[in-house]
Each structure stands twice: as C-alpha cells, then as structure tokens.
Amino acid sequence: MPVSLTTLRAMKQRGEKFAMITCYDTIFAQTMNAAGVECLLVGDSLGMVLQGHDSTLPVTMQDMIYHTQCVARGNSNAFLLADMPFMSYGTPNDALENAAALMRVGAHAVKLEGGAWLADTVSQMARCGIPCCVHMGLTPQSVHVFGGYKVQGKTPDAAAKLIEDAKIVEQAGAALILLECVPTAVAAQVTASVSIPVIGIGAGKDCDGQVLVVHDMLGLHQGKPARFVKNFLVGQTSIQDAFVAYVQAVKTQSYPAPEHGFN
C-alpha cells in the first residue's frame, strides 16, 4: 500500500517514526522504495549538490519540475514531496500556479519556506486540493536574511513564535511541517502542539519524521558536514543497505542521537 498523508497522520498518532530522504532521479527513487523509505523529498538542495551553487536560490521551477518527473517515474510506494523554489510562491496566485505544475508531474504535496505569513497561501492551496508542508526554523531560501545558516528558535521569544506559527499554519490547512536547525526541546514542543506530522532535520528525535540530504547521509560532501549529518554508508555493503540502516535508526530513535541536535 503506497504511503499517503493518511498513513503519516496515523503513524504520528501511534508514535511511529517515519523516514524521508532527498531524491532527484529515477534509480535512487527505486532504491529508496526497495529500502522502505516512507517519504521522498525532491529538494531544492539540488542547486547545491547537483548544480554546484552555494545556495538554493538559483534553482528554477523548470529544475524542480524536471527532477520531480524523474523521481515520480521511479516511485511506486513512497509519499513524494517537492520543494517550491525561491520566489515561486511570492503571491497566492504564483503559489497555486507553480504548485499545480509540480502536482501534475507526480508530486503528492509541495513544500514552502516560511511561517504564519503563509497562512493565506496555504489556505487557498488546501482549498484547491494541494497539500502543503511548511518549512520553518532555518529556511535556506532566506539565508541572506539570517546572515548565514544559523540555528533558529534559540531565545524564549523566538521559540514561542515558532510554536505559534506552527499552530497558525496548521489551522490554515497545512498538511505537514518541517523544522530545520531548531533546538531539540523547542522542536519537541512544536511537535506536541500540532496534530499534523512534523519532520525534523537538525531538530532532535522527538519530531514525527526525519529527513536528510541523500548525499550527506552517504558521506558525499565537501568540507565538514553539518552537526546533524550521519554517514549511514559506513559499515554497509551497498547504498540500499545504507538506506535500510537509516530507516531502522529513525524508527528505533537511535538517530538522531543527542549529539546531532542543538540545545
């Protein structure tokens, strides 16, 4: 039975964790399916790991449409989430048009970066049958606003705003929330405060699901990896085995360990 939003909601209610990995092509989609990865994310991270840019900002809608098509052709079981790239959802009308393009080529939901200010857009998309995941905390498309890739929600006021924003986007109709680089305790509060599934990256083990960039979790990166990254290829004999190890680590909550999170 293919994984759906209903599946993910039921897993949250049962307290069962689920695994997500970024995916950009057909063969990796098939391999992740075989390994039992519940969710695939066609991430605008492709701008960095595939295209060689220093941020996600240069990624276009055509890039996202192309890679979503590639992944959809290889996907048979996983829930498929596609990123909406920089400035593709500046207005609700832009968001509707661009999200529809991703849904038409096989996405099951789309991901937007922001917070409470997205409520109107999320609401309109939900009414049109487009499930949304709202990416909060460290939002890479706003890297120049933040002044770099920094942990978000560290102060009491910032943490309270993150929790409030999560409640607002849920009420607006968001289907999922993704938290990036948020203190573990704050992510746990957000996850407990909403009924929709919450996915974490650098947000601790209390989130309902976990996501990693595929290149990172296979040890393919330049320089020092981010704190939350673990190389799951170590000790395995194949990439598929690495994916299986990641899924099991997420489900048993051995990953992320305390050292992968932030205080």
Side-chain angles (χ1 to χ4, degrees), residues 138-189:
L138 172 59
T139 47
Q141 291 175 15
S142 300
V143 60
H144 296 306
V145 175
F146 294 144
Y149 297 99
K150 301 176 180 179
V151 179
Q152 303 297 307
K154 293 178 72 174
T155 68
D157 286 348
K161 186 177 189 310
L162 201 59
I163 295 166
E164 182 62 24
D165 280 11
K167 293 177 180 177
I168 289 170
V169 298
E170 178 187 27
Q171 188 173 18
L176 301 159
I177 289 172
L178 188 146
L179 296 177
E180 180 169 358
C181 290
V182 170
T184 298
V186 176
Q189 289 179 282

Side-chain angles (χ1 to χ4, degrees), residues 20 22-24 40-47 56 59-68 80-86 88-89 98-99 101-103 105 107-113 125 131 133-135 140-141 178 180 211 213:
M20 174 184 283
T22 65
C23 189
Y24 316 103
L40 310 184
L41 170 62
V42 186
D44 59 0
S45 49
L46 66 87
T56 62
V59 176
T60 67
M61 270 304 301
Q62 285 307 309
D63 292 333
M64 294 308 304
I65 290 168
Y66 171 77
H67 286 281
T68 301
L80 179 53
L81 180 63
D83 271 346
M84 297 191 66
F86 180 63
S88 65
Y89 49 96
N98 289 320
L102 292 170
M103 299 288 285
V105 297
H108 300 142
V110 298
K111 180 163 73 64
L112 308 81
E113 296 183 6
M125 292 171 78
C133 174
V134 178
H135 183 153
Q141 291 175 15
L178 188 146
E180 180 169 358
V211 61
V213 172

Side-chain angles (χ1 to χ4, degrees), residues 44-56 58-59 215 222:
D44 59 0
S45 49
L46 66 87
M48 302 170 80
V49 297
L50 298 188
Q51 297 175 338
H53 299 299
D54 61 2
S55 76
T56 62
V59 176
H215 296 72
Q222 295 289 330

